[in-house]
Amino acid sequence: STQSTGSAYLPHTAGGMSSVSSLRLKFKTDFDKSVLLTNFEKRGWSRALYDEDWNFYWAGVHNIKPLFSPDNPTRLGDHQVVNHFPNHQELTRKDLMVKNLKRFKKEVEKECSASAETESYFLDFVPITFTLPADYTLFVEEFRRCPNSVWIMKPTSGAQGKGIFLINKLSQIKKWSAGKWPFSQSKETYVVSRYIENPLLVGGKKFDLRIYALVTCYRPLTIYINSNGFARFCTVKYSSDKSDLDNQYIHLTNVAIQKHGDEYNDRHGGKWSLQNLVQWLEATRGREATARMVTQASLGSGLNVPVSHHVSGLGSGSHWVWCGVG
């Protein structure tokens, strides 16, 4: 089944609203971004004045925390929806996401062991990761076991590629931990992960995927995945040479970084639609291998997503595919 991006998710409770088609919803937002305002207005929503009641609030992180605080006497009504869940940082902060993925993997492996099931690929896309400086000793032990490996450092709460760098020597970590690393002027917490040195390349260039998921409820878990995902490409062909570790145009796919490169194409933004990527994979790797990859990716995420929704359904317009209920 599908859900149009034009409909708002509202709780179907006795005191709530079971239908929004005939109602003029009021929205509130902390951001005057055209992509938000245009989409709200397209749906016939009107902006709530300062002291007016509202139905949908696109809030900034700084306003979400006090909204859910036990000290806040105000509670959301059945007719009100916000764009964050309480404790959303458990997934959005890199160190907390890693912690929760590790815990989730342990629980699933325990369940599989008890039922004699084995899913060797489950969550194997998560590389070995440590939090620094807390896990520094553990990281050093792992580094010395594989001294020729490359590692990638990321600030736990960063975005748009800011503060990311690659290392292949412990001396580089020592500079960072002493506060002398040029990319980090403070003692901000970082995660360090083993770098994938042989990534899948398209035209010799590294890419990553952006696939948008809408979680409308955690109990029961209800997720929709948008069909219009896309791949983001680097502008310079991939190289694993140690002399190229500092070249962000080779290693980081963030548009905020790539748009400053000499080879950046502002017409297509260095992006492919998910449909084009699947077609390329089918042409170069075969339909069977492509279908297997998509199946393993969906099972690896813990979701039961039919392959046809990902492959065959990608040719149509944008829609949201319901893909998980817990």
Side-chain angles (χ1 to χ4, degrees), residues 1-3 212 214 223-227 305-306 309-310 313 319-324:
S1 61
T2 62
Q3 175 175 316
Y212 293 96
L214 171 66
I223 306 172
Y224 296 83
I225 293 182
N226 194 278
S227 60
V305 188
H309 281 169
H310 284 277
H319 61 278
W320 293 85
V321 179
W322 173 81
C323 64

Side-chain angles (χ1 to χ4, degrees), residues 87-107 122-123 125-131 135 152 154-159 164 189-193 208-211 213 218 300-301:
N87 296 331
H88 62 92
Q89 67 273 8
E90 291 288 334
L91 291 177
T92 57
R93 273 183 60 109
K94 296 179 181 66
D95 55 340
L96 298 180
M97 180 182 67
V98 169
K99 176 199 71 175
N100 287 307
L101 282 173
K102 288 180 178 178
R103 185 176 65 179
F104 180 46
K105 185 176 183 178
K106 275 186 179 180
E107 291 178 356
F122 191 86
L123 285 179
F125 57 85
V126 181
I128 297 175
T129 302
F130 302 94
T131 301
D135 297 335
I152 185 167
K154 299 182 178 183
T156 57
S157 56
I164 298 178
T189 305
Y190 269 60
V191 292
V192 57
S193 304
D208 72 357
L209 293 178
R210 276 290 181 269
I211 299 175
Y218 277 104
S301 65

Side-chain angles (χ1 to χ4, degrees), residues 23 33 52 83 97 103 120 158 167 216 233 307 309 317:
L23 299 175
K33 293 186 177 181
E52 274 191 310
N83 61 324
M97 180 182 67
R103 185 176 65 179
S120 59
I167 63 168
T216 58
F233 289 85
V307 175
H309 281 169

Side-chain angles (χ1 to χ4, degrees), residues 64-208:
I64 281 293
K65 191 171 182 180
L67 189 65
F68 289 117
S69 170
D71 298 328
N72 187 351
T74 305
R75 293 290 179 266
L76 294 181
D78 290 337
H79 65 292
Q80 293 179 315
V81 175
V82 293
N83 61 324
H84 289 284
F85 283 92
N87 296 331
H88 62 92
Q89 67 273 8
E90 291 288 334
L91 291 177
T92 57
R93 273 183 60 109
K94 296 179 181 66
D95 55 340
L96 298 180
M97 180 182 67
V98 169
K99 176 199 71 175
N100 287 307
L101 282 173
K102 288 180 178 178
R103 185 176 65 179
F104 180 46
K105 185 176 183 178
K106 275 186 179 180
E107 291 178 356
V108 172
E109 287 176 342
K110 184 177 179 181
E111 291 174 4
C112 289
S113 177
S115 61
E117 293 182 10
T118 56
E119 299 289 358
S120 59
Y121 56 79
F122 191 86
L123 285 179
D124 64 355
F125 57 85
V126 181
I128 297 175
T129 302
F130 302 94
T131 301
L132 299 181
D135 297 335
Y136 179 74
T137 302
L138 295 174
F139 166 70
V140 170
E141 290 179 5
E142 183 63 31
F143 186 96
R144 287 175 175 162
R145 272 197 287 267
C146 305
N148 296 319
S149 297
V150 175
W151 296 76
I152 185 167
M153 298 271 295
K154 299 182 178 183
T156 57
S157 56
Q160 298 182 331
K162 295 174 183 175
I164 298 178
F165 55 94
L166 276 61
I167 63 168
N168 64 334
K169 297 177 182 178
L170 279 178
S171 59
Q172 295 166 316
I173 288 286
K174 290 176 182 177
K175 287 181 181 179
W176 168 81
S177 63
K180 297 178 182 178
W181 187 260
F183 292 103
S184 179
Q185 301 301 322
S186 65
K187 293 281 185 159
E188 183 179 6
T189 305
Y190 269 60
V191 292
V192 57
S193 304
R194 182 172 291 168
Y195 191 57
I196 300 173
E197 297 185 63
N198 60 336
L200 176 64
L201 305 175
V202 175
K205 296 177 180 178
K206 183 180 173 182
F207 69 96
D208 72 357

